[in-house]
Structure formats: C-alpha cells, structure tokens
Amino acid sequence: MIENLRLTNLRLFRELQVDRLERVNLFAGHNNSGKSSVLEAILLLAVGGNPSLALRIPKFRGLSHLPPGVPASFWKSMFFELDTGKPIEIKCTHSRLGYLSLTVSRESGSSLVRQGVGLSKGRGGREARSRQIRSLSLLTSKGNPGGPWGILLSWKDKNNDELRSMHLTVDSNDVWFSGEVIRLEAEFVSPSIGNIRDDSVLLGQLRERKQGSLLTEALRIIEPRLESVEDSSATGTPMIRVDIGLPELVPLSAMGEGMTRIARIVLAMSSVRGGVVLVDEIETGIHHSVLKKLWAVVAKAARTFDVQVFATTHSFECLVAAQEALPDAWRFHRLERNEDGSSRCVSFDVEDVDVVVRHGLEVR
C-alpha cells in the first residue's frame, strides 16, 4: 500500500504532503482544493504498472477524446501555474515496492533519440515486476507542441544496482512502449465515465474466480429483490443484466445510477488485485440511507482483493456513514488552501473523526 504521498508543482499544488495513508482513504475539501489532483497523481504513478493508463489520464478529467494539438495543452495544464520550466514531482513510500519517485518535465524531444530508445507499439501489459527506487520523466518536443509526448521510467531494484527502464511515447489516441513493466496497477471510477462492455468483461472474470456473489451481495443494498447478476450478450453487445424476479433479465443500466455506480466500484477493485482504486465523488448516485452499507461493501472488497482505496466526497453524510461502517483501517483527509495560496492536508484518524461527527464540526 501507499503509505505517504508528496506532490510538488502539480496542478494547484506548489507542494503538498499527505501522511498516514490507510487501506481506505476519504478526501474532502472545497471546490478546487485539489481532491481530484491527488487521485490523478496516484494514477500517474501507476503508468509504470499499466502503460495504457497514459492514454486514460485525460479521461480522468472528462476528456474522452483528444484531437490533434490538445495533448500538449492538457499536459501543460498539469504544471503548477502552467510553468513547464519547473518539473512535477510525485513521491511516495509503498509498503511492497519501496520508495517511488516520479518526475514530469519538459525537455527536447530529441532526448529520446540521444538515449537510443527503440520504441515498440504496445497496448499496456502488466507483466514485469521489481521493487525499487524509480524516476519518471515526461518528454515532449518544444518545436512540435501538438505532437506526441514521451515518457521515460527508470528505477533501481532494492537488491542490486542494476538500472532498469521503461520508455513510452503517447499521442492523442495511442501509446508505444519498450522495456519492463513494474507491478503497480490502478483503476479509477469517475462519476460519469463508464463502459457497459468493459463492465461485462470484468464481471465474467470475477465469475470465473467464483466470486460473482460479491457483486450480487453489493447490489442488494439498493435492490433487495435482486436474485442474480449475469454477464449477457443476448443483444449482441456484452452487458450486465440482473434478475429481479421479472419474466426477463433487466439491463443493469436500467436499474438506476446507484446500482451501476456500486457495480463499477466493486468491479474496479476486482480488476487490480494488490493495486489501487480511485473513486471520485464516491457518493454520486447513492442515497444517504445506504451510504453506510456502501462503505461496508468497499471495506470487504478492499480486504478480499487486497486493494487500497482513495475516494473523494463533498458530503458530510458520506463521512458519517464511513465513520459508522469502518471501525479501523481507514483515514479521513481534508485538503485546505492557506491565505497565501499554499495547500495543506489535515489527516484525521478514527478517534478524530468520531469527535468531528459527534460535535457536527464542518470539515468538508
């Protein structure tokens, strides 16, 4: 698990330190306090475990397709005050992988040539492993601001001095990479982005491991009539259908936003065992009366799949529900902006949250 996180020159953060991370972490704060940026930083770290995430990072901001010229402006907007002359740094300590250091900087595109990088086209892959100190550099051509971005990832294994590396080039709709892939995987669940075909595939994989009942139990917190959950291709398009006692199965998407939301959270956790799941605005589509049950589902799935969860919220009811459902192994973090524009993170353990809830203190 990620034990702490330090961000420098990322988005609105000149510098931010987040300590005492737990199995389940809930972040709150005013609009534009940087909650989503924290999730985005962790997603960037996971590019080394799944290179295809380099294409999905813009989708985290709701950009499902980037036309020519947009990739450069998107990456530039990730720098503090749009200043690409100061590198982004993301550092953390991971309980299994050790110390990770990621640097995003703008350099000459010819750096890839000078370093003799031979790029081969690929679509992700999650096979190579190491436990290491790592650094990641994001490179782009100054003369072609709308062109591809290159990523260089290098690290040193804990047990020897051999330098290892991964190289990626990213444009608006593809990624090429060569080198080793490291074992840090992540999945994100946004309030609005989803794919019924992908949902069905993940359910099929879960059922192959005879764990499909986990999703059925989770969805019953909203629909008690639910008898079973099926991955169906009857219409020619794979999708999840549910049995609620009617003459035919019903598409999950027809059961409302809350059902779909819970399904995607559980399926995301099942797809990155030992990794990280990022959930933006976790309470979206969920009625306050079932939030406590939702957190119980999240806690059970996190243990079952050995997943670390990072979620954001604007809801005090969501915090209260977490406090009631999660007796341990979780932490609440509030992001704050100081008068001088700097940021800080205030972390609350279980006892602190109990005080906040009992006295109705405003911490959102």
Side-chain angles (χ1 to χ4, degrees):
M1 295 193 302
I2 297 173
E3 299 173 345
N4 53 60
L5 187 67
R6 184 181 182 86
L7 312 178
T8 305
N9 293 325
L10 173 67
R11 297 288 188 189
L12 57 84
F13 299 130
R14 184 189 302 276
E15 189 172 290
L16 180 73
Q17 179 75 32
V18 184
D19 292 314
R20 302 193 299 159
L21 292 169
E22 265 288 358
R23 168 77 65 185
V24 176
N25 300 275
L26 180 61
F27 286 82
H30 293 166
N31 290 336
N32 200 36
S33 63
K35 299 183 298 296
S36 296
S37 296
V38 171
L39 304 190
E40 192 174 34
I42 298 169
L43 196 62
L44 271 170
L45 283 170
V47 166
N50 180 6
S52 65
L53 283 177
L55 291 177
R56 299 183 60 195
I57 286 174
K59 295 182 181 180
F60 187 81
R61 293 285 176 175
L63 301 173
S64 58
H65 176 70
L66 293 179
V70 174
S73 59
F74 168 78
W75 289 110
K76 183 176 181 179
S77 68
M78 295 182 67
F79 288 79
F80 179 72
E81 297 183 342
L82 304 180
D83 185 358
T84 58
K86 298 178 181 178
I88 296 170
E89 294 182 347
I90 303 172
K91 300 178 180 179
C92 76
T93 303
H94 193 282
S95 59
R96 174 172 53 87
L97 300 173
Y99 175 73
L100 289 75
S101 176
L102 177 150
T103 302
V104 181
S105 60
R106 189 173 188 181
E107 302 177 13
S108 170
S110 61
S111 296
L112 290 171
V113 177
R114 290 199 305 270
Q115 296 180 49
V117 177
L119 297 174
S120 57
K121 189 174 181 179
R123 281 285 187 183
R126 301 174 174 176
E127 57 226 22
R129 340 276 179 258
S130 345
R131 303 184 176 187
Q132 9 349 45
I133 296 176
R134 308 178 180 91
S135 64
L136 178 68
S137 297
L138 192 60
L139 312 161
T140 187
S141 172
K142 292 181 179 178
N144 183 18
W149 288 69
I151 296 175
L152 171 62
L153 170 66
S154 63
W155 69 92
K156 191 170 290 186
D157 191 281
K158 283 183 176 179
N159 301 317
N160 58 59
D161 293 329
E162 181 184 356
L163 185 66
R164 306 185 184 192
S165 64
M166 172 194 287
H167 309 278
L168 298 92
T169 293
V170 184
D171 63 17
S172 58
N173 54 27
D174 219 335
V175 57
W176 296 262
F177 72 93
S178 66
E180 295 188 69
V181 181
I182 62 175
R183 180 59 71 182
L184 177 62
E185 299 181 25
E187 186 60 84
F188 73 91
V189 183
S190 79
S192 57
I193 300 173
N195 185 295
I196 59 173
R197 182 186 296 270
D198 292 344
D199 295 342
S200 180
V201 170
L202 291 177
L203 174 58
Q205 294 171 354
L206 189 62
R207 289 168 62 86
E208 282 185 359
R209 297 190 292 268
K210 297 184 178 181
Q211 292 181 310
S213 61
L214 291 173
L215 181 59
T216 304
E217 293 171 7
L219 294 179
R220 280 187 182 137
I221 70 175
I222 289 185
E223 180 48 80
R225 296 178 298 166
L226 187 71
E227 297 180 8
S228 67
V229 181
E230 310 292 339
D231 47 311
S232 171
S233 301
T235 62
T237 300
M239 68 174 62
I240 296 177
R241 294 176 178 269
V242 297
D243 183 352
I244 56 172
L246 298 178
E248 297 181 6
L249 298 178
V250 178
L252 175 64
S253 58
M255 297 298 296
E257 184 180 6
M259 291 274 281
T260 303
R261 180 75 164 163
I262 291 175
R264 285 179 173 152
I265 291 172
V266 173
L267 291 173
M269 296 172 79
S270 73
S271 70
V272 288
R273 296 171 181 242
V276 176
V277 169
L278 314 167
V279 188
D280 205 13
E281 298 178 19
I282 191 169
E283 76 279 6
T284 298
I286 310 296
H287 192 266
H288 70 87
S289 63
V290 298
L291 282 172
K292 182 177 177 180
K293 293 181 179 179
L294 169 65
W295 280 117
V297 166
V298 168
K300 180 178 180 179
R303 293 191 301 269
T304 300
F305 303 121
D306 187 26
V307 168
Q308 188 175 19
V309 178
F310 293 82
T312 69
T313 186
H314 288 288
S315 166
F316 189 77
E317 292 169 325
C318 186
L319 173 60
V320 173
Q323 185 268 342
E324 294 175 348
L326 307 175
D328 54 22
W330 82 286
R331 191 147 281 141
F332 174 67
H333 310 272
R334 173 183 166 83
L335 297 178
E336 301 177 350
R337 299 293 298 276
N338 299 320
E339 292 184 0
D340 62 359
S342 62
S343 302
R344 67 170 180 161
C345 179
V346 181
S347 297
F348 300 76
D349 58 23
V350 176
E351 291 76 16
D352 295 331
V353 175
D354 184 61
V355 173
V356 166
V357 171
R358 281 192 288 110
H359 292 279
L361 302 178
E362 177 56 74
V363 292
R364 288 172 297 175

